[in-house]
Each structure stands twice: as C-alpha cells, then as structure tokens.
Amino acid sequence: MSAWLWARALGVCVIAGCLLSSPTARADDDPTTTAAARERFKEGVSYFDRKDYEKARAAFLQAYALKKHPAVLLNLAQSEVRSGHERDAAKHFTQYLREATEASATEREAAQAGLTTARTAVLELALTVDESGADILVDGTSEGSSPLSDPIYLEPGSHSVEAKKGEHTTTQTVSGKAGERKEVRLTLAAPAPVAATPAAAATPKEESEGDSSAEADASSGGGREPFFRWVTTRPAGYIPAGLTVVFGLAAGGFAIGSSVRYSDADSTAELINKAAQDDNISTAGICVDPASKVNGSSAIPDDEKPDRIRQYQDACQKWQDSADQGDTFKTAAIGLGVGAGVAAVTTVVLYFTTAPKAGSAARGKPAAPSVAVVPWATPASGGVAVFGQF
C-alpha cells in the first residue's frame, strides 16, 4: 500500500475516533486536545493527498505534539522523507518501529522501506558510552542520556559528539558522508594508574661480576636482546609478527572492498529513487513489489510498463547484491583485524617471556629452555602453534 493510501486510511480511522479507542489512549485524555489533534491530522491527510508534503509535515507535527499516536508518527515520517527532511524522517521511522509493537506486518514493512530511503541521505551514528546516565550532545544539542534507544541521524559532514556526567566529559569529532553508518564509543572513566614495579637490587657478587654485562643490558633495553633482532631471527618472533602483517593487510583489503560495495549500493539506491521520482511513483516498498508500483502509475504508458518493471527488478537486485557483498567483506575484515590484533599482542608477550638476556652467553650461562604457544586465527578457523627452544 502506498504512503498516500496510508494517510487516507489512517485519516478515516482518526475521524472515526480510533485515537480514543486505541491501546495507547487513557481514560483521562482531554477531549478538546484529542479533537484538535484530529483536525490537524485531517489537514495533514488533505495536504498529503495534494502532494503538498511540507504543509502535510507541519500538520502531522502539530497533531503528534497534541496526541502521540503511532498512526500520526508514521504519517509524519512519510511526509518528512518526501519534503526533504530525511534526518527527522529517519529518526521518526526508527521510533515508530521501536514503539509500534502492535503494528501489522504491512505497516512495519512500509516504515522499514521509508527508513531505508531516509538513510541514504544521512550519516548514522551508533553511539555507546562506557557509563549510563551521561548526557549526550551533538554540536551542542542534547540527544538524550546514555544508553540511547536509537541511533543518531545527522547531516553529512563533520560533527562534535560529547558525553558529560558529573565532572567527567569527553568529546570526539566524527565525520561521514550520506548513507554511511559509524560506530562511536565515548569513554568517561579515567584509566586506573599503573603501579611501578621496583627493580630487584643486585647483590655485591653480581655487581662485581657483571659490570660489563650491566652496561650491555642497559644498552639493549630492559636487559633483553634488542626487539628488532629478536623478531627477525627467532621463530617465536617472526612467526606471529608475520601473521600480524598478513592479517592486517588482508583486513585492509577487505575493508576497502566493503566500502566500494556499499558505495555501489548507495549509487544504485539513488538511481532507483530518481527513476521512481521521474515515473511519479512512491519509493516505499519499490523493491518489494515493483510490479504493483509500476502498474499503478498513470505516468508510464501501458506498453512500457513490462520493460520498466524489469528495469526496477534488475536495479533492486543489483542494490541487494552490492549490499550483501559489502556485509560479507565487512565481516571478513573484522575477523582478519581480530586475528592481526591477537598476533600483535602475542608477539609482544613472547618477546618479554622468551627473549634471552643480553650478555648471558658471554658470562657462560646457558639459555633456559623455553616453549612458546602462539594462537592464530582466520575468519574460517583457528588454533595454536607450539615452538620450543631447548
């Protein structure tokens, strides 16, 4: 069902008094307020029928301020996405999908289609804060308190995101383009201080026997074999370090591939929206049932409709394929990035646990036996490798 039919059907419901009989209605609702909301809603439906979406938006906005009913919210969002207020539309479609738990599958499908269209024009932030109850501000405007129920939708460009709680505050600058989604995490808690470990005092015997080795220890950094020499000559060094490089490069490649596929999907969505606008048909649910949309348009000659339906079907399939490939590449990039992080941490840990003390061979002391257990991971499998030195 197209958006204008939603507006008309819901308008009839309001005129019949469904706002008073809905599950969200209260016994103490003010009849005067409800009547005023009904009148504003009727005006919104009338403007929507005439495709005067800006005035329809204003009327639905007034109706929702008087009566916060899901039917009003859905029509408000539909008016906003058609009048160029995609940021507000995305916010209200998301709110509707979260709050309208008793909506039918068809209603939720229409809202989801509208949200998909609005997302192509805005920057979406999935914001988390390490503490609850923090005030969230974007460019100085409050967006609520953590944790937020919904994503934050912004105009493309650069924005200042801030979290405040008590005396603690943190700010981060976020930039993005239309159709992009970013995850942002703000940290308010101060890191715990790291206690210094006192160095063990050398015995007089060690001082007398190790003057030259002490100088070598100081020059080698922490009394161990230099890291670069260790990582290029020891299996416990160059194996995990090599995995770090391989996983890191692969993760970067998949990340670039994911960005390219998402960009292709965005470009295809823009072409679909432009074609629908030229054909004077609604984009809501256009990829769900393009045949009904095209057949219901009076702007397309009947002899051209079969070809136009195939064009929409091909474009929608291309958009879906690009989005699916972007998701696949993104998953691979995340898995390889985790593998690179594990390998990097393993390299550092093994250096401090297996690297021989500098000068120990010169003093005639044999190196102690050591065994290294190196974890490895890929998106499809994982395990450990054991290396020994005896």
Side-chain angles (χ1 to χ4, degrees), residues 226-253:
F227 179 80
F228 182 76
R229 181 190 304 167
W230 173 84
V231 82
T232 55
T233 59
R234 308 280 180 175
Y238 60 70
I239 291 178
L243 290 175
T244 301
V245 175
V246 172
F247 287 167
L249 292 176

Side-chain angles (χ1 to χ4, degrees), residues 214-227 351-352 355-358:
E215 294 177 0
D217 290 350
S219 64
S220 63
R224 298 184 182 278
E225 181 180 10
F227 179 80
Y351 171 71
F352 285 103
K357 294 287 186 178

Side-chain angles (χ1 to χ4, degrees), residues 1 6 10 70 74 96-97 100-112:
M1 182 181 290
W6 281 118
L10 293 172
L74 179 57
Y96 175 84
L97 290 169
T101 57
E102 298 184 1
S104 67
T106 306
E107 291 168 339
R108 296 187 66 85
E109 178 184 318
Q112 188 61 59

Side-chain angles (χ1 to χ4, degrees), residues 293-310:
K293 296 289 184 180
V294 173
N295 290 329
S297 174
S298 59
I300 304 174
D302 291 341
D303 58 340
E304 297 181 7
K305 288 183 177 180
D307 290 338
R308 196 65 53 85
I309 292 173
R310 284 193 295 272

